Amino acid sequence: MAELGHPSRLQIFSLLAELGETGCKVSDIQQALKLPKSTVSHHLAELAGIGLITQTREGRVLRCRIDAHRARLVQQFINQCCDGLPD
């Protein structure tokens, strides 16, 4: 959960969640969020390190995808933690 506490990582995670299985290129993430390449790379490494995303090399392109199973576990955890709290 600590990794998702950083605003940029949460934005990246949310973007990849919206895109689903197709994911997107690192350069597309960088352009969408208007962040420097080094910043995006750092945050992607953090998310990949804890298994929330996967990265695959497609020639010269690095494609990032959300790990749907782990994302559902995070969602379940949040739902359980926040159950009963006011909207």
Side-chain angles (χ1 to χ4, degrees), residues 12-86:
I12 292 168
F13 184 77
S14 296
L15 175 65
L16 292 175
E18 288 176 25
L19 296 172
E21 289 183 18
T22 58
C24 69
K25 301 181 292 185
V26 172
S27 60
D28 292 341
I29 296 169
Q30 178 188 357
Q31 290 176 353
L33 302 180
K34 309 273 191 272
L35 294 171
K37 184 177 181 178
S38 60
T39 300
V40 171
S41 295
H42 168 74
H43 292 310
L44 289 171
E46 293 286 327
L47 293 170
I50 60 167
L52 287 178
I53 67 164
T54 60
Q55 297 177 308
T56 54
R57 174 91 33 209
E58 298 172 354
R60 296 179 64 180
V61 173
L62 189 59
R63 181 168 297 276
C64 301
R65 294 177 180 87
I66 195 164
D67 183 306
H69 173 72
R70 290 191 183 215
R72 279 191 288 282
L73 291 175
V74 169
Q75 182 180 19
Q76 289 171 356
F77 174 77
I78 291 171
N79 289 344
Q80 289 173 354
C81 268
C82 299
D83 189 35
L85 293 176

